[in-house]
Amino acid sequence: LEELVAPEGVSGFSLGDLVGREPIAGFYELRRAALRTSRHLFTNLHVHHADASSASATCVLTLHAAEGAAPLPLDPVMVADYDDEYVRGDDGVWRFASRRVTLVFGEYPHLRRTRSTS
């Protein structure tokens, strides 16, 4: 995911922001440490603004995830709104300048895992 983010891009959750590629990469490296199956279903993309070098959009994520190998029971973990800002780099590639996640239903998976094991 860090390759999809601008060098000083922001991944924002209600729990705090990750700024830059290294912290974002570190977060997802921790996520890959356990055997986990997940599917991120993005729908309802709405582009608010777009020009030659920037764009903004919103979409809805429905996340299905569980510890272990597939197949697993179908259990949505969360539904969240994503507010995205995109920027076109000097190399012509579009990347996330920021991605803000607002939880609507459920809870963040790492909190769910912590609560179920404590």
Side-chain angles (χ1 to χ4, degrees):
L1 180 69
E2 66 273 9
E3 294 177 17
L4 300 176
V5 177
E8 294 303 317
V10 176
S11 185
F13 303 88
S14 63
L15 302 172
D17 290 349
L18 299 171
V19 180
R21 289 181 177 163
E22 276 189 47
I24 293 169
F27 175 81
Y28 286 101
E29 188 61 35
L30 289 173
R31 297 297 306 247
R32 288 188 290 269
L35 179 57
R36 183 171 184 265
T37 301
S38 66
R39 292 298 179 269
H40 296 71
L41 307 175
F42 290 95
T43 58
N44 299 349
L45 176 66
H46 178 78
V47 177
H48 304 288
H49 158 83
D51 61 31
S53 61
S54 66
S56 63
T58 58
C59 62
V60 175
L61 164 74
T62 302
L63 174 62
H64 297 272
E67 302 302 321
L72 295 163
L74 182 62
D75 181 21
V77 175
M78 65 180 253
V79 175
D81 292 333
Y82 278 52
D83 294 299
D84 297 328
E85 299 289 332
Y86 312 98
V87 62
R88 180 181 247 166
D90 293 337
D91 59 2
V93 175
W94 287 92
R95 293 185 176 89
F96 291 100
S98 71
R99 170 161 264 193
R100 302 278 177 195
V101 181
T102 304
L103 189 63
V104 179
F105 296 102
E107 56 190 330
Y108 291 109
H110 58 282
L111 293 179
R112 179 181 186 174
R113 192 167 47 237
T114 302
R115 288 185 185 145
S116 66
T117 60
S118 54

